[in-house]
Amino acid sequence: METIYTYSVIPRLPEQLEPLREMCYNLWWTWEPQARALFRYLDIPLWEKTNHNPLRMLQLCKQARLVEVANDESFLRDLKEVYSRYKSYLARKDTYGKERRLTGTKTSIAYFSAEYGFHESFPNYSGGLGILSGDHCKAASDLDLDFVAMGLLYRDGYFKQQINKEGWQEAVRLNQNFTHLPLREVRIDDKPLRISVTLPGREVFARVWELAIGRIKLFLLDTQVPENRLEDQAITAELYGGDHDLRIRQEIVLGMGGVRALRAMNMKPDVYHMNEGHSSFLSLERLREFVKEGQLDFTSALQVVAASNIFTTHTPVPAGNDAFSKELMQRYFAAYPGDVGITLDKLMSYGQTTVNPDPTFSMTILALRTSRFANGVSELHGKVSQGLWQNVWKDVPIDEVPITSITNGIHTKTWTAGEFHELYEKYLGKDWEDQLTNQEFWRGVIEIPDEVLWNLHQTLKHRTIEFVRERIRAQRVRNGESPEQIRHVNRLLNTDILTIGFARRFATYKRGNLLFSDPERLLRLVAHNERPVQFIFAGKSHPADNEGKKIIQEVYKLSRDPRFENRIVFVEDYDTHIGRRLYHGVDLWLNNPLRPLEASGTSGMKLPPNGGLNLSVLDGWWLEGYNGKNGWAIGAEITEGSEKLQNEVDISSLYNVLENQIVPLYYAKPDGKLPLAWIQLMRESIRTIVPVFNTRRMVQEYNERLYEYAATAKNLLSSANCENARTLSQWKNEIRAKWAQLKVLDYNVVALEATPDTFFVGEQIEVVARVHLGDVNPEHVAVQAYYGPVESNKIHSAFITTLKDFKPLDNGNCEYRGRIPTSDSGAYGLNIRIIPSHPYLTQDHELRLITWAR
């Protein structure tokens, strides 16, 4: 047959339905269930077929159906109400951001991330990092920050997962059509915007797409343009695909190209937030800008850039941090050192530690060395990161490594079932969203009757189980299984049985098969005559991670074992849609990574708003969220011992908690109808977790603890044509040149009440230190007493007191005095140190210079 000409016909949208078109181009609808209900009403099968994509619905819906709906008075009333809510949201005056700006705190933020997960219809993410980025943007919109986001637009997204008959994960490419997504190409002077970056021997161009998320915008770069070679069109083809050569090109386009895109759109944010190290090259581009356009030398430019950069690290696994060889860096950045007046070795040093530097160039270290503000994503992860990156700051004690923590949260409205929205409106108030971080307000969940809370949860659980059956049925049909195996799907799972969910990326450290370490015990658990348990698994493994795929295969094969088949299932192609169904309907969420390798985790946070509970290792956010009454904890950390021993301890604890606490509690119904003690746990989970572990709290923390401070530091250093930056840079050069002459000559303590080495609680101890400063100005150093409890001749949990009483001696020597308190009894240690001091410094250790008494 001859090749035929193909074309598309789209319906004309009746005028009454025009608000649908406007709303479908703003992802506000992803967290408004009533808005989604409008689009779903147009054609329920089409809604499922389009993967819940409102724009595609309007492109494919039958003209007759649109005309019919345009004459449906009930639908038009609902449309008017939702559209009014949408417009009110955009126009609201009493927002957090507007209030901050009215008080004179004006901060514009550019947020860079390699992936963004907003909704299943826009698959531009792989997992937790992307979901966090999407939720961060939604919260920035809710708070009304002056905020813009930057990323890459991937033609093939991550991948669609299919599980074959053998249980092996197969990756299917998506090949997205961007006209089916709510994107608009950015145009300047009525021409499509093109930005470019320089790669070896050529310029690579990218178009810029705009995506509206409530009140804020996300811009996405796309290199699939005819101006580029085919190999460069593929730069934005796939998320986390290819080799190091492709990855470095992606990250150049993201970081350097992203800054250029902002400039092309006349945007000059105060603060740049790097969400993981993938975008760290933005620092190099910003430095080049200041050198070329601001007529600054490299180190002066660095003062402004670093003061206005923020870096968030998301992984405590060293292998999860991108690093490039010197050969790759030399190939792609051959001209850069000359542009900014440094050497290639100097450039390489910004991607290396100061202690025992690795020959490769780490994107994480580049971010740390070009940012004055850095954070982990939970309290434990912040501490782990301080240890992981301590060698970037030579001689700085681990607990002073300048990495803080801001614990992750979720965008609560996105992940809460619509039915729970209505429940909270009824029993807590219509303003429950505005009260999201008010912990006292959430005590109101006690007013929700037991029967109401339980019945709603059971309704959602029934919906989840039906959904899981549909997905497994479709998988078996695709794999050509027998009619009997397809019919058998109807016997999978049971609404009356305790249902446990486990869904996440299948990396080996997340231990997706830990539960199967004792199959006989597992069989007794799932096959119990009176109190059985069932499990729903889902998750993807990176296409190159064969060990992760083996774990998926192990889970799948066990789910097809006749002994377990009705009680364990694996749902393929885990995405936000499957995630929501599980978060809404399972009773309990299982999380058992190898501690402390879970930086934060957010999936478990999505259960409490829907009445679900958590069973988790005390890692990441759960270490902070667990209070002994709102869920359960697995195991104890083994500080000395092998990973095998930790696994054995955790599997024993997991089964003991399930068998002796969770299962009996779930099935205990003193009135014969309701598990009253379980329902109390549900309330406690909602009350304690929802108002804390949300992105409204999280982004407010970023704004008040990092963004606003970074903007202030940037304004200080860039004022008067960056004169303060030049001053600081010159001072740093002088201090570095003279630092070797500084020494702590000696120090002693003066006992005011007792003997020289024994003191009473509450006594002030006078410390006297003699130091040699040479020709260094005493105003440019701080001499500090460093003291705290001592074990094995090492100070722990140290306190720091600056010795301020100063007296010059001869030959460049000085005497410093000060007093330190004694607040509790015990063995203590003391040392004296000198660090640089200047009013323009953003953090104490940004010069990475410190001299200790030896």
Side-chain angles (χ1 to χ4, degrees), residues 757-772:
D757 59 355
T758 303
F759 305 90
F760 293 109
V761 171
E763 182 179 358
Q764 292 286 310
I765 303 174
E766 186 169 21
V767 180
V768 182
R770 289 194 315 125
V771 302
H772 177 74

Side-chain angles (χ1 to χ4, degrees), residues 828-842:
Y828 286 82
L830 166 70
N831 202 349
I832 301 296
R833 69 186 192 180
I834 311 171
I835 64 171
S837 177
H838 193 281
Y840 294 166
L841 290 178
T842 308

Side-chain angles (χ1 to χ4, degrees), residues 337-547:
D339 287 347
V340 297
I342 61 173
T343 65
L344 178 64
D345 285 342
K346 182 68 172 177
L347 173 61
M348 286 294 298
S349 73
Y350 281 93
Q352 297 170 332
T353 61
T354 54
V355 181
N356 302 319
D358 189 277
T360 59
F361 185 93
S362 164
M363 295 295 282
T364 296
I365 294 175
L366 173 64
L368 289 170
R369 294 186 66 125
T370 58
S371 304
R372 298 289 179 248
F373 303 90
N375 71 284
V377 289
S378 69
E379 289 181 11
L380 177 61
H381 179 232
K383 293 173 183 176
V384 169
S385 297
Q386 288 178 311
L388 188 61
W389 303 111
Q390 185 179 16
N391 283 348
V392 177
W393 288 269
K394 184 179 179 181
D395 291 335
V396 173
I398 190 170
D399 55 357
E400 288 185 69
V401 169
I403 300 176
T404 185
S405 65
I406 294 179
T407 302
N408 280 347
I410 61 165
H411 188 258
T412 307
K413 286 199 73 174
T414 293
W415 301 105
T416 303
E419 292 85 350
F420 265 92
H421 286 212
E422 296 170 4
L423 184 77
Y424 294 146
E425 285 188 7
K426 180 176 180 180
Y427 289 98
L428 298 180
K430 291 186 178 297
D431 65 339
W432 70 271
E433 183 186 359
D434 290 335
Q435 301 288 341
L436 196 53
T437 59
N438 183 344
Q439 296 185 51
E440 188 62 33
F441 174 86
W442 284 89
R443 291 182 181 275
V445 295
I446 196 172
E447 302 298 330
I448 304 174
D450 291 343
E451 189 172 2
V452 171
L453 184 58
W454 182 251
N455 288 345
L456 175 54
H457 173 67
Q458 288 298 99
T459 297
L460 296 176
K461 184 176 178 181
H462 177 78
R463 190 168 72 189
T464 293
I465 289 174
E466 286 301 314
F467 168 79
V468 168
R469 288 172 178 168
E470 290 172 12
R471 298 295 290 243
I472 294 176
R473 185 180 295 110
Q475 176 186 339
R476 293 187 179 184
V477 169
R478 188 195 68 244
N479 284 335
E481 297 198 31
S482 69
E484 174 56 29
Q485 288 294 340
I486 295 169
R487 285 193 297 270
H488 183 80
V489 170
N490 294 325
R491 299 198 293 274
L492 299 180
L493 308 177
N494 186 312
T495 307
D496 295 327
I497 292 177
L498 172 61
T499 304
I500 300 176
F502 181 101
R504 56 193 29 86
R505 181 165 58 91
F506 269 71
T508 51
Y509 77 87
K510 292 181 182 284
R511 301 189 297 184
N513 56 351
L514 184 68
L515 187 70
F516 307 142
S517 303
D518 191 340
E520 295 306 315
R521 203 168 178 184
L522 176 61
L523 182 60
R524 291 196 298 271
L525 200 64
V526 301
H528 195 283
N529 288 332
E530 298 176 353
R531 302 184 307 192
V533 181
Q534 58 194 14
F535 296 86
I536 303 174
F537 286 84
K540 295 178 178 179
S541 180
H542 187 282
D545 182 5
N546 283 330
E547 293 305 310

Side-chain angles (χ1 to χ4, degrees), residues 22-321:
E22 182 180 344
M23 288 191 293
C24 83
Y25 275 95
N26 189 314
L27 294 191
W28 172 85
W29 59 262
T30 63
W31 65 91
E32 284 295 335
Q34 289 182 305
R36 295 194 299 276
L38 291 174
F39 292 105
R40 183 176 183 271
Y41 181 78
L42 298 178
D43 188 330
I44 294 175
L46 185 60
W47 178 248
E48 298 300 329
K49 183 180 179 181
T50 61
N51 206 20
H52 318 130
N53 183 336
L55 176 59
R56 196 65 182 136
M57 289 284 293
L58 298 185
Q59 292 171 342
L60 294 177
C61 199
K62 296 299 183 184
Q63 186 72 51
R65 175 58 178 162
L66 292 176
V67 171
E68 179 185 359
V69 171
N71 290 285
D72 183 333
E73 292 299 325
S74 176
F75 179 86
L76 293 178
R77 280 195 303 272
D78 290 343
L79 174 58
K80 182 178 179 180
E81 179 186 342
V82 171
Y83 184 63
S84 174
R85 185 183 305 172
Y86 167 67
K87 300 299 281 187
S88 296
Y89 174 88
L90 297 180
R92 187 169 174 175
K93 302 296 184 184
D94 60 336
T95 63
Y96 167 86
K98 286 185 174 67
E99 289 173 359
R100 300 296 286 187
R101 291 189 283 276
L102 283 173
T103 61
T105 310
K106 298 180 179 179
T107 305
S108 56
I109 305 118
Y111 179 88
F112 281 63
S113 183
E115 53 174 303
Y116 291 87
F118 299 105
H119 188 259
E120 60 270 13
S121 64
F122 197 93
N124 212 55
Y125 64 96
S126 70
L129 177 68
I131 299 300
L132 186 280
S133 300
D135 281 9
H136 194 118
C137 289
K138 291 174 181 179
S141 167
D142 291 341
L143 293 168
D144 196 14
L145 298 184
D146 186 353
F147 185 99
V148 62
M150 182 65 65
L152 301 179
L153 183 61
Y154 304 99
R155 181 72 58 175
D156 294 327
Y158 190 44
F159 68 93
K160 183 178 177 63
Q161 179 197 55
Q162 290 186 350
I163 305 297
N164 65 22
K165 282 184 176 181
E166 286 70 44
W168 192 250
Q169 171 184 290
E170 297 175 342
V172 179
R173 301 182 67 163
L174 297 178
N175 192 21
Q176 301 183 87
N177 185 334
F178 295 158
T179 63
H180 299 166
L181 300 176
L183 298 163
R184 289 190 169 97
E185 190 172 1
V186 175
R187 303 176 72 87
I188 303 292
D189 296 329
D190 206 34
K191 295 179 181 178
L193 175 61
R194 291 287 189 275
I195 61 99
S196 68
V197 295
T198 303
L199 296 186
R202 78 271 191 195
E203 289 288 302
V204 170
F205 297 88
R207 78 180 96 196
V208 184
W209 297 92
E210 176 186 304
L211 180 66
I213 303 103
R215 301 181 179 106
I216 67 117
K217 298 289 177 63
L218 164 66
F219 296 98
L220 297 165
L221 305 179
D222 167 23
T223 62
Q224 193 172 54
V225 294
E227 297 95 319
N228 290 335
R229 302 175 182 180
L230 288 178
E231 65 183 281
D232 292 328
Q233 290 185 23
I235 290 174
T236 57
E238 187 179 2
L239 174 60
Y240 301 144
D243 55 13
H244 279 87
D245 188 82
L246 176 60
R247 185 65 67 86
I248 196 171
R249 284 183 286 147
Q250 283 186 329
E251 296 184 359
I252 289 170
V253 171
L254 172 61
M256 306 183 87
V259 172
R260 295 182 184 188
L262 292 175
R263 297 297 175 268
M265 295 182 288
N266 199 30
M267 296 182 186
K268 294 187 176 181
D270 298 315
V271 175
Y272 291 76
H273 184 174
M274 293 172 275
N275 193 44
E276 260 304 356
H278 310 109
S279 60
S280 302
F281 287 141
L282 73 81
S283 294
L284 301 187
E285 181 61 23
R286 295 190 65 209
L287 286 164
R288 174 163 38 201
E289 279 186 340
F290 276 103
V291 172
K292 290 292 187 181
E293 300 170 15
Q295 302 303 307
L296 294 175
D297 63 276
F298 182 83
T299 54
S300 297
L302 180 60
Q303 309 315 310
V304 185
V305 169
S308 52
N309 273 357
I310 290 159
F311 170 60
T312 299
T313 174
H314 286 265
T315 175
V317 184
N321 298 274

